[in-house]
Amino acid sequence: VRPAPTIAGVGRAFPEHYYDQETLLTAFRELWARRHHNLDRLEALHRNVLVGGRHLALPLEQYAGLTTWGQANDAWIRVALDVGETAMREALGAAGLGVEDVDALIFVTVTGIATPSIDARLVNRMGLPRRIKRMPIFGLGCVAGAAGVARAADYVRAWPGEVAVLLSVELCSLTVQRQDLSIPNLIATGLFGDGAAAVVVVGAERPARGPRIVATRSVFYPDSEEVMGWEISEEGFRVVLSADVPNVVLEHARRDVDAFLAEHGLSRAEIEVWISHPGGPKVLGALEQALELPDGALEASWRTLREVGNLSSTSVLLVLKEALEERCPAPGAYGLMLAMGPGFCSELVLLRW
Amino acid sequence: MVSKAMEDREILETISEIARRHLQWSGSLEPSQRLVEALALESIRLLTLVVELENHFKICLDEQDEAGLTTVGDLVAAIRSKLA
């Protein structure tokens, strides 16, 4: 058996501007009224996502001033650096490590672009080592939190004496197309929020406390490109969102999870800690149904959805942080981290405390 | 005064036009067709259709109206009753 990497620490950071859903609804109603007649229906749509409030990269009143993609992306870079640094420092602190210990940095996002990428800018800003190996990954979307942990584990399996950090920054509010009043965009504007999270993954040769990453599994679903993604235009990112996401969960989750667990001599009943990307209420409901989960198994995912919305790749890492710091499973307990994203695809990460 | 048959034809045409523009749909609609199958409606597409019809006709359809919708003709009738 190959020695397993350890999740040694998780950090998170949010922009300081927090708005409850009612405040956001009031702002959106004015915008919707330019084109839509039945505003109560749209308001109900926003309430149905069961989000209580969200952090936004900018004060609410500044969004109307973002008239080009370039302006929005400039704001994205500025705020991504702030929350990215805070999340990384918190994760390293939790792991008992310093910036000089970081050998590899994986940066994931789907909400903004930059070259040099955010990871490069953080090397300068934080004084990260010059030897650092950087892996900026754009486009995995919501799956990138779990997939990023899996890739960090792959890295330290190859270099068991090293430390890899995954940083996820998603500032979904800066992708909002104010002129796009389509239903998928209205759902997105009710559901997605802003934030960052970082995970420190250390190789088996380094002493560390935390759950071991026993195994990981990627699953790609052929010919499902239309389920979710971006359409890119001169105006930026326009959300593509079909109603098929819960159906994909219902169709695939159970088979994929069971097959993965069986390879390790496990069944669903032996998983004590479920660490799922929250998606939305329908996705979480579908997951509970498909995996026949006991009541409360996904409570941490429901809670993060209520408190800060769906933060794409960052969300599952918030659930992971809660598992590490508040649930404190007994030694030997198994956990399963799982997420889905554009492709369409899923990523499974088997943990053991 | 516009006859009921004439009004129904115009409503049906409007539904077709909105489906073409907002649902990337092509084909012809008949009142007897089942609504969900004819327009390949899942929840987001159904909501898009309803919202665009509400915008066009300046009406508000409620849950009670939508619960009884099985055929394309049912949708036409629901819109007509709101316009009355």
Side-chain angles (χ1 to χ4, degrees):
Chain A
V1 178
R2 289 178 300 173
T6 301
I7 294 178
V10 183
R12 67 177 194 179
F14 300 107
E16 62 184 299
H17 319 289
Y18 184 84
Y19 298 94
D20 62 44
Q21 199 79 336
E22 294 305 312
T23 304
L24 294 172
L25 264 175
T26 304
F28 278 121
R29 272 186 82 102
E30 285 177 35
L31 197 61
W32 296 337
R34 293 180 195 169
R35 191 165 116 65
H36 288 301
H37 179 70
N38 187 354
L39 299 185
D40 290 343
R41 177 187 295 282
L42 305 181
E43 200 169 302
L45 191 63
H46 261 219
R47 291 188 207 285
N48 287 346
V49 297
L50 303 182
V51 173
R54 286 167 286 163
H55 295 269
L56 300 187
L58 304 179
L60 193 52
E61 61 275 13
Q62 288 186 17
Y63 284 85
L66 301 175
T67 56
T68 67
W69 185 11
Q71 289 171 344
N73 200 65
D74 283 346
W76 180 87
I77 292 171
R78 181 168 50 78
V79 179
L81 290 170
D82 288 343
V83 292
E85 176 175 358
T86 305
M88 267 186 74
R89 288 194 184 279
E90 186 177 293
L92 287 166
L97 297 171
V99 291
E100 67 283 0
D101 296 309
V102 182
D103 299 292
L105 175 55
I106 299 172
F107 174 70
V108 296
T109 191
V110 73
T111 52
I113 54 174
T115 300
S117 44
I118 295 300
D119 42 280
R121 296 171 197 233
L122 287 176
V123 172
N124 289 323
R125 182 166 157 147
M126 296 175 65
L128 291 158
R130 290 174 62 181
R131 68 173 189 283
I132 198 164
K133 285 167 269 190
R134 299 182 294 110
M135 289 167 268
I137 299 175
F138 177 91
L140 286 175
C142 300
V143 79
V149 168
R151 301 294 79 78
D154 290 343
Y155 176 85
V156 295
R157 282 186 190 280
W159 303 100
E162 296 198 0
V163 173
V165 174
L166 165 69
L167 174 61
S168 155
V169 177
E170 302 289 10
L171 305 176
C172 304
S173 72
L174 290 171
T175 70
V176 167
Q177 305 279 303
R178 292 170 59 83
Q179 77 289 352
D180 175 11
L181 298 175
S182 67
I183 295 302
N185 195 47
L186 294 184
I187 294 171
T189 56
L191 184 62
F192 290 97
D194 298 347
V199 182
V200 177
V201 178
V202 304
E205 292 176 3
R206 295 185 70 110
R209 293 178 60 192
R212 298 268 172 178
I213 301 171
V214 178
T216 70
R217 171 61 43 83
S218 301
V219 188
F220 191 83
Y221 305 126
D223 305 319
S224 56
E225 293 171 26
E226 74 292 345
V227 171
M228 210 176 171
W230 292 133
E231 275 175 14
I232 313 248
S233 74
E234 294 77 359
E235 288 154 348
F237 304 115
R238 184 177 195 263
V239 69
V240 175
L241 178 64
S242 89
D244 278 337
V245 180
N247 297 334
V248 175
V249 173
L250 287 171
E251 191 180 338
H252 297 285
R254 182 162 158 172
R255 185 194 60 201
D256 295 339
V257 165
D258 284 355
F260 177 55
L261 293 179
E263 287 175 23
H264 302 279
L266 295 169
S267 66
R268 272 176 274 140
E270 291 164 275
I271 299 299
E272 289 182 35
V273 186
W274 292 90
I275 301 165
S276 172
H277 170 62
K282 287 187 178 176
V283 174
L284 281 177
L287 202 57
E288 288 171 336
Q289 183 187 334
L291 299 178
E292 299 167 320
L293 296 176
D295 287 349
L298 298 184
E299 178 48 35
S301 300
W302 284 105
R303 190 179 318 120
T304 190
L305 184 66
R306 277 197 303 273
E307 291 176 353
V308 295
N310 179 336
L311 306 190
S312 190
S313 69
T314 301
S315 278
V316 75
L317 306 179
L318 302 180
V319 182
L320 174 67
K321 180 176 169 66
E322 201 227 26
L324 257 68
E325 297 177 7
E326 291 173 36
R327 298 184 65 178
C328 306
Y334 282 102
L336 188 67
M337 181 159 36
L338 64 166
M340 287 184 163
F344 210 70
C345 64
S346 64
E347 192 82 23
L348 307 171
V349 180
L350 179 62
L351 304 176
R352 188 171 199 193
W353 267 264
Chain B
M1 185 181 160
V2 181
S3 72
K4 174 176 167 295
M6 173 75 87
E7 195 178 54
D8 281 2
R9 264 204 305 279
E10 286 174 4
I11 292 171
L12 188 63
E13 256 316 296
T14 303
I15 295 171
S16 300
E17 177 55 31
I18 284 174
R20 275 191 284 274
R21 194 184 314 158
H22 296 281
L23 303 179
Q24 290 75 48
W25 169 86
S26 61
S28 62
L29 276 187
E30 297 297 332
S32 60
Q33 286 177 296
R34 291 179 70 84
L35 185 62
V36 167
E37 286 80 359
L39 295 174
L41 298 179
E42 29 77 319
S43 59
I44 291 178
R45 286 169 63 85
L46 173 62
L47 198 53
T48 299
L49 177 67
V50 170
V51 165
E52 294 302 338
L53 288 169
E54 288 177 331
N55 291 344
H56 179 88
F57 289 111
K58 306 290 181 220
I59 57 172
C60 292
L61 294 166
D62 55 37
E63 276 181 23
Q64 210 174 348
D65 300 322
E66 290 160 30
L69 299 182
T70 305
T71 66
V72 174
D74 294 337
L75 178 59
V76 171
I79 293 170
R80 182 174 12 88
S81 75
K82 290 288 174 184
L83 292 171

